[in-house]
Structures are given as C-alpha cells and as structure tokens.
Amino acid sequence: MECPHLSSSVCIVPDSAKFPNGSPSSWCCSVCRSNKSPWVCLTCSSVHCGRYVNGHAKKHYEDAQIPLTNHKKTEKQEKVQHTVCMDCSSYSTYCYRCDDFVVNDTKLGLIQKVREHLQNLENSAFTADRHRKRKLLENSSLNSKLLKVNGSTTALCATGLRNLGNTCFMNAILQSLSNIQQFCCYFKELPAVELRNGKTAGRRTYHTRSQGDNNVSLVEEFRKTLCALWQGSQTAFSPESLFYVVWKIMPNFRGYQQQDAHEFMRYLLDHLHLELQGGFNGVSRSVILQENSSLSASNKCCINGASTVVTAIFGGILQNEVNCLICGTESRKFDPFLDLSLDIPSQFRNKRSKNQENGPLCSLRDCLRSFTDLEELDETELYMCHKCKKKQKSTKKFWIQKLPKVLCLHLKRFHWTAYLRNKVDTYVEFPLRGLDMKCYLLEPENSGPESCLYDLAAVVVHHGSGVGSGHYTAYATHEGRWFHFNDSTVTLTDEETVVKAKAYILFYVERQARSGSEKL
C-alpha cells in the first residue's frame, strides 16, 4: 500500500546511522536479545524483535506514541513518530499506523538506500564468514569442529529458508520436498529458464502485489530454490522470488498472514503438475520425465491429463466402494490421489503427549484403519442408488488400488466447531521405518514383500493452537542424518526427538532394498 507516513517517520541516513555489527538478519533485539525476526526502526535505527517473537518492535512504536497522546504535540514530536520499520531479513517495510506493508518510498528514496545498505552489510558479513570458514578448513584443528558420522568426518551443509513474514508454512513444505531425493533431483536437473533480461538482468528485485508481470514460472523458481538448498554456500536462503510467483498464481496465499501448510502443499503440487504438463516457453518438460528410466510408465498416475513427475512420485489410486443398504447394489469408483487425509479417531483426542498416562496411545495405524474401515454414511450423505432410483442409506469403504512411490499422509488436526476452527493436539505415534501398507491394499497378494514398506523421509509439525496462528517447522533425513528446519535455523537432531513430534504431515518413501527393520 501507499503509506502517507514516510516523510515523518523515515529519518535515518544509512551512511551516518549507527547500526549493530554483524549481518542484519542475525541482529539481536535491544530488549530481549533474541536474533529471530529482527526489525530496524527507520526513525532511530534501533533493532527490536517482531510481533511473532516477543513483539518489542511494536512496543517500541507504541511507547513512542505516548507523549503524542498525553501531552500537547510539539512540532518535533509530530515529525518523529517511529511508525515505520524494516525487516532485516527480507528488507520489506512495514508501517504500524497503517498496519500494512509499504510499497512506496520517500522523495529522496531513503527506504531503498537503507535496503541496499542492509543488503551490503549482509553480503559483507557473509563474505567474512565464508573467509573465516575457509581459514578453519585450512587449519588442522577443524577435525574437532566437524561432525562425525559413521566414523567419517563431514561438514554441516544444510541451508535454512528466511521467513518473509509468516511464511514458515511454505518453508516447512519446501524443506520437506527438498529431502525427497527423486523428486528434488528431477527439478534440479531441469534446464534453467531465464525470465529477466535487459535492465533487470542479474539484479535482485523486490516484488510487490501491484506489479503486473505475468511472465512467471513456478517450476523455474521452485528449481532455483531447491538448487540453493544443500549447497553449503550460505546459512539461509531468501525465497522471495518463489513467494512472489506464489502470490501471482495462487491468490489464496497473498498477504503475510499465517496459512495452512497442507493446503499450500496441495496448491503447490497441483500447479507444478499443471505447468509441467504444458511446459514453459514452448518447451515441454515431460520429455525429461520420459527419459528418466526410474520413473517408468507403470509408476505413473494421471491426474487432470498427462502424467508428470508430481503424479509419478506422489500419485496413487483409491477404490471407493459404496453399497446400498436397501437393495445391496454395489458401486465402485477409482480416484487418483496425491496425499491421504486421515482423521484422528475421537477416542484418542484427549491424549496430548506420548508420556501422558490417561487413555490409550493413538498410532498412525489407528488413523489408517479409521480411513479404510467400513463406514455407514449418515443422513446428510445419502447415496443415490441407480437401482432404487432414489437416495438411500449406504456403507462406504476405501481400498488402496495403487500405492505411490512417496506416500504423503496428512493428519487432520484442524476441524470446525460452531464458528471456530480448533486444533486436535493429540500425539500420534508413527514409525521411522517399515510402515507396512499391505493390509490396506485392494489386492495385497499381487504385491511383493518389500513393495509395501515405507521409511520416513520428512515430518511437518505445527506448533500452536490454531491454523491461523502458531508456527511450522520440519524434520527431514538427509544422507542418514536427521535435521530440524526452523526457518533460517537448521540444527542436527536425533531419531528420539523426531518420534516425539506431533506430526501434521508425514512423507514416507517406498523402500527399495530389503532390510530387517521392524514393521508397523
């Protein structure tokens, strides 16, 4: 939006302002010393944490307004308002009086000057940090600072994703998908598509909703983001170009409010699938899928047209079987799926933690059984029987006709009660290895002994009480190690920590080699 308060609130000049040392994205709040979501006031250059940490940036603005409300306003007080601040990670600007993000600038272009200055500080800090790491590598004492895995020494090369303003839902999904190797490798091997030329070539752009550029490719920006992860060249990557494309082609996700990670994942996969079907710039990218021998025709599941890598990896087929309770007529329908949404059975909904004593422990198998068990449809879901020629009571049962290469399981933790969407905070036990899906198959006798076993690749977790609030993080395994992805922060973790998580989305990868691991 066009903010009218910039002339009275943006006062700092980058060359003379006293900024903290180090990279702006890691600056600490001057009150609580937290380095998460730092914001710099464009009036006095003080740094405070954002409203989703401890909210000291907003409190700084509110404290500055007290003299203006309790006393007679002087000319100086009218000019200095501390209402505009800048995110030190994404460089987006926010006005507390307008309560919205700002897209305009002052007549002297001070906001852009501050933005460029912060970016220069960030780049300088990154260069210095890279030089420091190079020195460490040259030092023989590095061996004690590196991580030992299976007797060998390796360096932590994971890259985080910066939060652009409540984009943790997107970051958690992107980190999970980046650790599904076959899916990630396909996109990383795609040829690059250059979308910018002329004056904008090679320059970093700051997109806003008001821009009318339709020449965007979700596949290309998704490819660039995946390529930036796991290179080890930076600690955090800012996916603003991908987020801009999301705004352009997925209107539901415009703005900076919290979103549902599962809903975003479905929109993302659907749009990737559609764009891959049509190609980009006249070049069909299904050719690469056809050339990839590991994604054979027998593994493809078509959804809305031709198969792509999305359906080849995530696509499965359900058989929906409905029986009329009056005449016994049976109706069968086959439905393709990219993920399965599982209810948490009502008898387990008071079990909040793994160690809680009251009540039985809910397992992923309980949720799968609830999904596939025979169910009698209620009065609001009467079946139109073609033999009876009217709506009748009936039963419904799901069978899995074809399992996907990557099984995505969504636990339905959010449900509507009256006017509120509440969260089911039940702990659901899930296996790290050997999830056996054979008993849920329509024809289990036709499957091999190993073809129904799945091992966990990633978990998305929602922290908080509601879908419109809280925070998303992800756990994922990479080359035998488990990592915790919390926006720009990536830490090594262990299996004991992963299995205690209250999973929201689980990504299981089909097992390729025979193992002696226990089954679920």
Side-chain angles (χ1 to χ4, degrees):
M1 54 147 278
E2 299 282 337
C3 175
H5 310 113
L6 298 185
S7 60
S8 59
S9 296
V10 182
C11 306
I12 63 173
V13 178
D15 295 336
S16 60
K18 295 182 179 179
F19 292 114
N21 296 325
S23 61
S25 60
S26 61
W27 283 348
C28 295
C29 172
S30 59
V31 178
C32 65
R33 309 307 299 168
S34 170
N35 62 353
K36 295 180 180 179
S37 185
W39 291 74
V40 59
C41 175
L42 297 188
T43 301
C44 63
S45 72
S46 59
V47 177
H48 297 88
C49 59
R51 66 177 68 191
Y52 297 104
V53 183
N54 292 315
H56 288 124
K58 186 177 181 182
K59 190 174 187 304
H60 173 69
Y61 154 72
E62 293 170 345
D63 291 344
Q65 308 314 303
I66 295 176
L68 299 180
T69 56
N70 295 344
H71 305 285
K72 185 178 179 180
K73 298 178 183 179
T74 66
E75 183 181 355
K76 184 176 180 180
Q77 287 172 329
E78 185 69 37
K79 289 182 179 179
V80 181
Q81 298 180 2
H82 303 266
T83 63
V84 180
C85 58
M86 181 177 289
D87 187 334
C88 299
S89 297
S90 65
Y91 314 123
S92 55
T93 310
Y94 191 86
C95 176
Y96 281 110
R97 288 188 67 183
C98 298
D99 196 23
D100 204 349
F101 284 85
V102 177
V103 298
N104 56 317
D105 203 340
T106 64
K107 293 180 179 180
L108 298 176
L110 290 179
I111 290 181
Q112 183 60 24
K113 290 180 180 179
V114 173
R115 180 178 288 128
E116 291 175 353
H117 185 70
L118 294 187
Q119 185 179 352
N120 289 335
L121 291 176
E122 186 76 26
N123 293 337
S124 298
F126 170 70
T127 302
D129 184 61
R130 185 169 57 181
H131 180 72
R132 181 183 61 83
K133 289 180 179 178
R134 186 181 296 116
K135 288 292 185 182
L136 283 174
L137 287 171
E138 295 171 356
N139 194 326
S140 59
S141 64
L142 178 66
N143 293 331
S144 61
K145 298 179 181 291
L146 293 180
L147 180 72
K148 290 189 176 180
V149 181
N150 297 329
S152 62
T153 306
T154 182
L156 180 65
C157 58
T159 300
L161 287 168
R162 291 198 178 102
N163 193 313
L164 306 179
N166 278 331
T167 57
C168 56
F169 68 93
M170 178 178 75
N171 293 345
I173 294 297
L174 292 176
Q175 292 286 14
S176 298
L177 294 178
S178 75
N179 285 283
I180 298 174
Q181 295 304 314
Q182 197 169 15
F183 185 70
C184 179
C185 288
Y186 170 85
F187 285 93
K188 288 165 68 174
E189 292 171 3
L190 286 175
V193 177
E194 293 301 330
L195 300 178
R196 300 199 302 269
N197 50 41
K199 293 183 178 180
T200 60
R203 289 176 53 190
R204 183 174 183 177
T205 57
Y206 298 90
H207 300 294
T208 66
R209 289 175 60 181
S210 60
Q211 289 179 306
D213 181 15
N214 292 318
N215 189 28
V216 296
S217 168
L218 179 64
V219 170
E220 174 66 4
E221 294 305 332
F222 185 68
R223 182 195 70 81
K224 290 179 181 178
T225 302
L226 293 183
C227 288
L229 301 175
W230 294 108
Q231 288 184 344
S233 58
Q234 53 186 332
T235 56
F237 173 75
S238 186
E240 68 259 27
S241 295
L242 175 61
F243 193 40
Y244 164 68
V245 175
V246 169
W247 275 23
K248 295 293 291 185
I249 66 178
M250 305 180 200
N252 290 359
F253 297 95
R254 289 178 181 171
Y256 294 92
Q257 64 272 23
Q258 183 64 281
Q259 302 281 359
D260 184 4
H262 174 252
E263 185 180 358
F264 172 75
M265 182 196 73
R266 285 307 312 267
Y267 270 89
L268 177 66
L269 292 179
D270 287 345
H271 280 81
L272 287 172
H273 172 65
L274 290 174
E275 189 174 317
L276 287 167
Q277 281 182 317
F280 191 78
N281 284 2
V283 180
S284 175
R285 285 177 164 171
S286 61
V287 175
I288 298 179
L289 177 64
Q290 295 170 3
E291 294 175 351
N292 192 335
S293 59
S294 62
L295 299 177
S296 61
S298 62
N299 288 327
K300 296 177 184 177
C301 170
C302 297
I303 298 175
N304 298 327
S307 177
T308 67
V309 67
V310 175
T311 53
I313 290 181
F314 290 95
I317 299 176
L318 280 176
Q319 177 181 287
N320 185 356
E321 187 176 291
V322 180
N323 286 279
C324 176
L325 292 177
I326 305 301
C327 68
T329 300
E330 185 179 278
S331 172
R332 294 180 181 177
K333 185 174 69 170
F334 292 95
D335 298 314
F337 68 87
L338 294 179
D339 70 305
L340 298 178
S341 291
L342 310 178
D343 280 307
I344 297 175
S346 57
Q347 66 266 30
F348 299 109
R349 292 189 178 179
N350 292 326
K351 186 77 171 179
R352 296 296 183 89
S353 67
K354 185 174 182 178
N355 299 323
Q356 187 175 330
E357 294 181 0
N358 58 315
L361 188 67
C362 181
S363 69
L364 187 58
R365 187 168 185 171
D366 292 317
C367 300
L368 285 165
R369 187 185 298 115
S370 175
F371 179 78
T372 56
D373 276 353
L374 187 69
E375 173 190 5
E376 184 173 339
L377 301 178
D378 58 30
E379 297 292 335
T380 62
E381 300 178 291
L382 293 178
Y383 163 66
M384 182 63 191
C385 180
H386 297 291
K387 186 174 181 180
C388 299
K389 299 189 183 301
K390 63 177 182 178
K391 291 185 176 181
Q392 301 282 27
K393 287 187 174 182
S394 60
T395 60
K396 179 182 71 173
K397 180 173 176 61
F398 284 120
W399 295 96
I400 298 177
Q401 196 266 341
K402 174 187 173 297
L403 284 166
K405 298 178 77 63
V406 174
L407 179 64
C408 179
L409 300 177
H410 161 235
L411 299 179
K412 295 162 73 172
R413 291 195 174 275
F414 302 105
H415 65 102
W416 288 98
T417 56
Y419 302 102
L420 299 175
R421 195 178 185 190
N422 293 331
K423 181 180 177 182
V424 180
D425 205 28
T426 303
Y427 170 76
V428 178
E429 189 176 40
F430 55 90
L432 292 179
R433 303 174 189 84
L435 171 63
D436 193 350
M437 296 294 294
K438 190 170 186 176
C439 60
Y440 310 109
L441 281 176
L442 179 64
E443 298 175 340
E445 65 276 4
N446 295 333
S447 61
E450 292 289 327
S451 61
C452 301
L453 292 180
Y454 287 80
D455 298 324
L456 189 65
V459 188
V460 174
V461 182
H462 177 268
H463 311 267
S465 58
V467 67
S469 60
H471 183 60
Y472 287 98
T473 64
Y475 294 95
T477 180
H478 184 82
E479 296 180 352
R481 293 177 290 167
W482 279 97
F483 293 85
H484 183 219
F485 298 92
N486 183 6
D487 288 335
S488 58
T489 303
V490 182
T491 54
L492 273 168
T493 187
D494 51 36
E495 294 183 353
E496 289 74 17
T497 302
V498 176
V499 296
K500 292 178 182 178
K502 293 182 180 179
Y504 182 46
I505 305 172
L506 296 151
F507 296 88
Y508 280 95
V509 177
E510 183 183 30
R511 182 179 293 180
Q512 299 298 320
R514 179 178 295 272
S515 173
S517 301
E518 294 182 0
K519 299 180 182 180
L520 173 64

